[in-house]
Amino acid sequence: FFLMIRRPPRSTQSRSSAASDVYKRQVYVHTDDNVLIKVNPNTKLPRTFKRFSALMAQLITKLKIRALNSTEVLLKVIKNPITNHLPFGSLKIGTSTKARHVNIRKYIDELPKDKSVVFVVGAVSKGNPAMEVDYIDDSICVSKYSLSGAYAIAKILNALESKEGLDD
């Protein structure tokens, strides 16, 4: 599953820098084989499955993938448990089709502004990994229909952008 983290903006910053601070997301991928991968937001994944598979094989072998002509690490295998990498005191929200249905825009509007927020989104066709972990504070369903992980993430990000006034 995927974990996205939104950090609260600092009150002393201007609107533009506060908005960019909110969207400095951290993304983690936790695999079925219990491998935890930190994904740099600048990472562009390959479009074909063959190239993606080769990239993942290289990552598992070398434990990190660097950008070409740079020292920037794009993908890195990190130590479990995931809770060691989450902000202390953050609100952790899981998504599932079996959780209570919410209007995602209203739900995000009601989130505390002074806390980091972690969204746990399952990206599997069967099961509810976001409800099966023990560190979730709340579980929500963002649609009455089953959604792909990518579409659920898009709905969450769209609601966050709307709240911050970035959807213009």
Side-chain angles (χ1 to χ4, degrees), residues 19 25 75 80 92-93 104 113 131:
R25 295 179 301 275
L75 299 167
N80 277 306
K92 294 165 263 324
I93 303 162
I104 190 65
K113 293 181 177 156
M131 287 186 75

Side-chain angles (χ1 to χ4, degrees), residues 83 86-92 112 114-118 137:
T83 52
L86 302 179
F88 181 75
S90 60
L91 178 62
K92 294 165 263 324
D114 60 339
K115 280 183 127 178
S116 294
V117 178
V118 177
D137 299 317

Side-chain angles (χ1 to χ4, degrees), residues 44-61:
K44 293 194 172 131
L45 295 174
R47 290 181 177 252
T48 66
F49 182 73
K50 184 177 178 180
R51 287 186 180 176
F52 177 80
S53 297
L55 181 70
M56 290 299 112
Q58 182 182 359
L59 174 63
I60 298 301
T61 305

Side-chain angles (χ1 to χ4, degrees), residues 4-141:
M4 303 182 306
I5 300 172
R6 179 208 67 163
R7 295 192 181 274
R10 292 178 187 87
S11 59
T12 58
Q13 295 177 322
S14 69
R15 175 174 151 48
S16 62
S17 62
S20 68
D21 188 40
V22 168
Y23 292 99
K24 287 185 181 171
R25 295 179 301 275
Q26 294 174 331
V27 177
Y28 297 93
V29 177
H30 188 249
T31 69
D32 283 341
D33 297 330
N34 205 29
V35 176
L36 186 58
I37 303 166
K38 183 173 184 177
V39 181
N40 183 318
N42 296 329
T43 303
K44 293 194 172 131
L45 295 174
R47 290 181 177 252
T48 66
F49 182 73
K50 184 177 178 180
R51 287 186 180 176
F52 177 80
S53 297
L55 181 70
M56 290 299 112
Q58 182 182 359
L59 174 63
I60 298 301
T61 305
K62 294 188 176 183
L63 303 180
K64 68 172 76 170
I65 302 289
R66 293 186 188 275
L68 292 175
N69 306 322
S70 173
T71 60
E72 183 177 30
V73 177
L74 299 176
L75 299 167
K76 183 178 181 180
V77 175
I78 57 176
K79 275 180 104 171
N80 277 306
I82 185 62
T83 52
N84 290 349
H85 304 280
L86 302 179
F88 181 75
S90 60
L91 178 62
K92 294 165 263 324
I93 303 162
T95 60
S96 170
T97 56
K98 295 183 178 176
R100 68 183 166 88
H101 183 263
V102 299
N103 178 311
I104 190 65
R105 287 182 187 253
K106 288 180 183 174
Y107 184 82
I108 285 179
D109 283 342
E110 295 169 359
L111 290 175
K113 293 181 177 156
D114 60 339
K115 280 183 127 178
S116 294
V117 178
V118 177
F119 287 97
V120 180
V121 180
V124 295
S125 58
K126 291 185 180 178
N128 288 293
M131 287 186 75
E132 295 167 4
V133 293
D134 59 353
Y135 56 85
I136 296 297
D137 299 317
D138 192 13
S139 294
I140 62 170
C141 177

